[in-house]
């Protein structure tokens, strides 16, 4: 699905990603673990084309996409949910979902009805303006709207960040349900407990380098990896 080799990215002269290697297999949930500032978001932005990688290769769904503009990478089937939620506050839940609609290239297309099965809260407030939703509901809506684009691979940047514990549990349940639907997910997280709930495999990054990778079940025993 995705194979990244020796990826380097800069902000100006600051060398942030210093050779990231990782792979994501179809149907799995892979988590990028690392402390604040480790380079998780920069990795995601480099994958989706919002940061242009200086060197390295990104093979995605059979194509070499490093250096492509974001719109082309989205069209190739990558979906991205940034750390900051970007819903339209004046549009209703339903209208927000419609803004994300793109045709499916393979498999059944996501519809609002299928998404409401996954995120029951959203179904109950389909006519509510986005601006009148809680942070957790907005986060779910951002994910649902991205799914309306029928991505092959979904990038989720810290979906549990800033959410109350009960909402974090709902989010974990939603990601598990997505996996059961066959969606491939690459997640960035600092929350080891949340990652352990949803991920199959983990890559730990520190100052832009991969320092560990393996099964999430093994990473969960290694809180030293994150210096938590
Ligand atoms: N737009 C930017 N310009 C300059 N430096 C940045 C920018 N965004 C992030 N950085 C720096 O890049 C490093 C990695 O940041 P980031 O990828 O956001 O880490 P994480 O998501 O793991 O917290 C940090 O040192 C951060 O300060
Ligand atoms: Mg980040």
């Amino acid at each position: 699905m995705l194979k990244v080799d020796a990826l380097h990215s800069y902000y100006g002269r600051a060398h942030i990603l210093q050779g990231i290697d990782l792979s994501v297999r179809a149907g799995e949930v892979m988590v990028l673990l690392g402390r604040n500032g480790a380079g998780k978001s920069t990795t995601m932005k480099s994958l989706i084309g919002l940061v242009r990688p200086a060197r390295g290769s990104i093979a995605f769904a059979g194509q070499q996409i490093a250096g492509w503009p974001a719109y082309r990478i989205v069209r190739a089937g990558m979906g991205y949910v940034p750390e900051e939620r970007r819903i339209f506050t004046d549009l209703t839940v339903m209208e927000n979902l419609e803004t994300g609609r793109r045709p499916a290239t393979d498999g059944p297309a996501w519809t609002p009805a299928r998404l409401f099965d996954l995120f029951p809260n959203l179904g109950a407030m389909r006519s509510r303006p986005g601006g009148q939703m809680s942070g957790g509901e907005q986060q779910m809506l951002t994910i649902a709207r991205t799914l309306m684009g029928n991505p092959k691979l979904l990038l989720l940047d810290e979906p549990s960040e800033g959410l109350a514990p009960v909402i974090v549990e709902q989010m974990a349940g939603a990601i598990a349900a997505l996996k059961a639907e066959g969606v491939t997910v690459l997640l960035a997280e600092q929350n080891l407990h949340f990652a352990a709930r949803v991920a199959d495999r983990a890559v730990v990054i520190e100052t832009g380098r991969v320092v560990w990778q393996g099964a999430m079940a093994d990473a969960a025993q290694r809180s030293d990896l994150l210096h938590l």
Side-chain angles (χ1 to χ4, degrees):
M1 170 72 63
L2 178 75
K3 189 165 191 309
V4 177
D5 285 296
L7 190 67
H8 289 255
S9 290
Y10 293 75
Y11 289 117
R13 291 167 67 182
H15 191 180
I16 305 297
L17 299 188
Q18 306 185 10
I20 296 285
D21 302 306
L22 62 88
S23 64
V24 183
R25 303 169 190 152
E28 77 174 350
V29 177
M30 163 68 103
V31 64
L32 216 50
L33 290 168
R35 280 183 293 172
N36 211 9
K40 303 180 297 296
S41 296
T42 305
T43 300
M44 295 211 152
K45 287 175 184 165
S46 300
L47 295 177
I48 195 72
L50 294 175
V51 166
R52 195 187 162 90
R55 47 188 192 279
S57 97
I58 306 174
F60 173 59
Q63 287 177 293
Q64 189 51 239
I65 62 162
W68 285 17
Y71 77 88
R72 233 183 122 192
I73 297 175
V74 169
R75 208 180 276 168
M78 209 183 284
Y80 169 59
V81 178
E83 255 176 310
E84 64 282 9
R85 295 150 199 145
R86 291 196 197 136
I87 56 145
F88 296 102
T89 52
D90 294 339
L91 300 185
T92 65
V93 166
M94 206 65 172
E95 289 164 345
N96 265 284
L97 290 180
E98 285 305 327
T99 65
R101 193 188 281 273
R102 289 172 32 81
T105 49
D106 50 296
W110 285 99
T111 59
R114 280 185 68 209
L115 289 165
F116 294 153
D117 286 341
L118 214 59
F119 302 104
N121 286 359
L122 295 184
M125 50 180 74
R126 65 189 73 191
S127 304
R128 185 178 300 186
Q132 293 175 27
M133 301 168 75
S134 71
E137 290 157 358
Q138 292 185 355
Q139 182 70 292
M140 306 259 181
L141 178 56
T142 318
I143 295 172
R145 186 181 61 192
T146 303
L147 286 169
M148 284 292 287
N150 297 296
K152 295 185 178 78
L153 171 66
L154 182 63
L155 308 183
L156 295 178
D157 198 348
E158 297 208 38
S160 75
E161 193 188 18
L163 303 183
V166 57
I167 312 296
V168 170
E169 277 307 302
Q170 284 178 20
M171 183 65 74
I175 292 171
L178 277 181
K179 180 179 147 71
E181 293 276 341
V183 179
T184 309
V185 178
L186 176 61
L187 193 70
E189 265 304 330
Q190 298 187 51
N191 180 337
L192 197 58
H193 172 72
F194 181 81
R197 281 271 275 112
V198 300
D200 301 302
R201 291 194 304 134
V203 166
V204 179
I205 63 175
E206 218 174 274
T207 55
R209 290 191 178 90
V210 174
V211 295
W212 189 90
Q213 53 185 309
M216 185 63 227
D218 295 332
Q221 309 300 317
R222 297 278 311 271
S223 56
D224 58 301
L225 285 171
L226 290 180
H227 312 281
L228 291 174

